[in-house]
Amino acid sequence: MTRPLARVGIPGVPSRQRAPKNGVTCPYCFESVAPQRILFRCRGQAGRRQGCAPVLDEALAKYTGSTAGASLPPVFSASGRKGRAECPECGLATGNRACPECHNPLPSAYCDSPGRIVALVGAKNAGKSTYIAVLLHELMNRVGTELDASLVACDDRTIERYKRDFARPLLEERRLLPTTASAATGPREPLVYLLTRTRRGRFARPRNDSLALVLFDTAGEDLRSREVTDLHLRYLEAADAIVFLVDPLELPGARTGVRDAVAAPRGAGDDPDSEPLNVIARVTDALRQRHGTRPGEPLPVPVAVALTKIDVLRPGLLRQSALHRSRSGSGVLDLDDRDAVNEQVRALLHDWQAGQLDTYLGQQYADHALFGLSALGGVPDAGRVGAGGVRPYRAEDPLLWLLYRFGMLDGVRPGGG
């Protein structure tokens, strides 16, 4: 007889992770904004509607570094207790809200529910850009359907950049994405999305839970010094969680577990600044300064650390491994599977003389978990995706774990334990 699934709570999660925030953190400039300070933007003129004419928004132009696209209907302050307010100039009601600091749009669902910001970090060769492209595609399609969730870009800039720099070259043309240029060569904006799940609360009333995904495809060079990290990863200050991507080929002993046909990235192992532990340590130092925690005091930010490109590992390493199993895809987090994968990745790290990475994470963070995934699902060839196309494997696992830690996803133990 099949035993019923046991639904499990979230033991040991700090109250900070479940309690709604008093204010709203702008996912663009990362200012913490009290609800009463949020601005409204007039709906403007459209067809026969006589709204306010566009004017140059200097705050938005300063943020983007350009006046292009910064001429919009004006913003104004109002109480907006019901999420709407009337423009004092034209009298039209609007629900369009904006950050009072940078004037970027603040989605209604993000303002009205406790959104969370997830930051993505990784060293050179970790495959951040590829992972971003695949993760977003999965959330828009297969995984989004599984979770009864929608993924919506927060502005037109995000829509255009995702299509131009990620989806079209990788998913349509099957070209590998180039190594990200350093932010020192020019400003780069984040991709900002709102993931919203509809769930049934008490008395079967629907409730929307939201998560802000703020993704920077930060170049490896931007993580080479604490000063540059502080300049280009300011979004860590506002992050509710972090996903670290680690290229296994950058680990000292991993080459013995890699297929013979796979070549190591150029310069792999030669640059100490690109070693995963050094990258994580620099980011940890920045987080510790901002959170004001003392040395030895675990940081309250949950951290997911994922080995990318596990498709390059020798089949013998995966045949009897938890990494060989696919997720059930049932819209919940299988905690037995999660524990098994965590222990398998931990064992690999120790086999590859990289156990200090796991030790360091346990010392510095109150909550961390290990993952193995592949964004492409196969080894690329001559700058192009393999013959089988993009076949992601467990790319969504880190995000599902974070949804569980945030109380947005149920956890189950199929064995009833």
Side-chain angles (χ1 to χ4, degrees):
M1 183 176 67
T2 302
R3 300 179 66 181
L5 297 178
R7 294 190 177 267
V8 182
I10 311 177
V13 179
S15 58
R16 174 182 176 273
Q17 296 302 328
R18 284 187 281 189
K21 300 175 182 178
N22 293 328
V24 174
T25 299
C26 175
Y28 296 92
C29 69
F30 311 111
E31 281 290 328
S32 181
V33 180
Q36 60 271 23
R37 290 188 59 223
I38 295 176
L39 301 179
F40 286 82
R41 188 177 294 280
C42 178
R43 293 167 61 194
Q45 300 173 348
R48 297 181 179 179
R49 189 175 66 211
Q50 298 299 314
C52 292
V55 294
L56 177 62
D57 189 322
E58 295 183 359
L60 184 61
K62 180 179 180 181
Y63 171 85
T64 62
S66 170
T67 58
S71 290
L72 297 169
V75 295
F76 60 91
S77 59
S79 63
R81 293 182 179 179
K82 296 182 180 180
R84 296 182 65 80
E86 291 185 356
C87 175
E89 295 296 326
C90 67
L92 286 179
T94 178
N96 300 330
R97 285 177 268 191
C99 170
E101 299 296 329
C102 66
H103 289 193
N104 273 290
L106 293 177
S108 296
Y110 184 63
C111 293
D112 297 337
S113 57
R116 308 285 188 175
I117 292 179
V118 176
L120 180 70
V121 179
K124 189 176 183 179
N125 299 321
K128 295 177 297 299
S129 298
T130 300
Y131 180 71
I132 288 172
V134 170
L135 176 64
L136 292 175
H137 183 265
E138 291 290 276
L139 291 174
M140 293 173 189
N141 295 279
R142 179 182 60 87
V143 177
T145 300
E146 174 191 335
L147 298 179
D148 192 17
S150 63
L151 185 74
V152 179
C154 290
D155 63 13
D156 291 338
R157 303 193 302 272
T158 290
I159 295 173
E160 293 168 2
R161 184 164 178 246
Y162 173 70
K163 289 182 178 179
R164 181 188 68 244
D165 297 342
F166 297 90
R168 185 176 298 122
L170 182 70
L171 303 175
E172 297 177 17
E173 301 171 1
R174 296 190 175 185
R175 292 186 290 108
L176 295 186
L177 300 179
T179 301
T180 305
S182 172
T185 63
R188 182 166 54 254
E189 292 187 353
L191 296 167
V192 183
Y193 287 88
L194 192 70
L195 178 71
T196 304
R197 289 198 71 205
T198 299
R199 307 174 68 193
R200 296 286 174 179
R202 293 185 61 187
F203 310 113
R205 294 176 179 172
R207 181 183 80 247
N208 289 335
D209 290 337
S210 66
L211 172 78
L213 280 176
V214 182
L215 303 175
F216 281 91
D217 50 330
T218 308
E221 300 94 293
D222 295 338
L223 296 167
R224 292 194 176 199
S225 72
R226 285 172 172 79
E227 291 75 16
V228 175
T229 297
D230 189 69
L231 176 64
H232 296 295
L233 296 183
R234 288 177 295 173
Y235 69 118
L236 289 173
E237 181 179 1
D240 296 286
I242 298 174
V243 176
F244 283 112
L245 297 183
V246 174
D247 181 358
L249 300 180
E250 295 282 357
L251 300 177
R255 294 297 304 167
T256 58
V258 174
R259 298 179 186 183
D260 294 333
V262 177
R266 182 177 299 177
D270 297 334
D271 184 0
D273 288 325
S274 293
E275 291 181 5
L277 181 58
N278 292 336
V279 172
I280 293 174
R282 284 193 289 274
V283 173
T284 300
D285 282 351
L287 284 171
R288 194 169 292 286
Q289 292 176 19
R290 286 162 176 151
H291 281 271
T293 57
R294 300 184 300 274
E297 181 182 355
L299 285 159
V301 182
V303 169
V305 179
L307 294 182
T308 60
K309 311 175 187 177
I310 62 168
D311 54 276
V312 306
L313 299 182
R314 294 182 186 276
L317 283 176
L318 301 179
R319 189 166 294 117
Q320 301 299 323
S321 164
L323 291 173
H324 187 66
R325 299 193 300 264
S326 298
R327 279 196 318 108
S328 64
S330 57
V332 294
L333 182 66
D334 184 334
L335 296 176
D336 292 335
D337 173 75
R338 173 84 289 280
D339 291 344
V341 169
N342 191 77
E343 291 307 312
Q344 178 65 47
V345 175
R346 176 176 285 121
L348 286 174
L349 290 176
H350 285 273
D351 287 345
W352 294 338
Q353 296 86 54
Q356 61 175 336
L357 182 62
D358 178 55
T359 302
Y360 179 83
L361 291 165
Q363 293 170 340
Q364 303 297 322
Y365 295 92
D367 195 14
H368 81 279
L370 305 174
F371 300 83
L373 56 87
S374 173
L376 295 178
V379 179
D381 181 35
R384 298 187 64 83
V385 175
V390 176
R391 295 171 290 132
Y393 181 72
R394 306 196 72 144
E396 70 275 12
D397 280 15
L399 183 61
L400 295 183
W401 176 72
L402 291 175
L403 291 177
Y404 169 68
R405 301 312 285 174
F406 292 149
M408 294 175 62
L409 186 68
D410 289 333
V412 301
R413 292 201 179 275

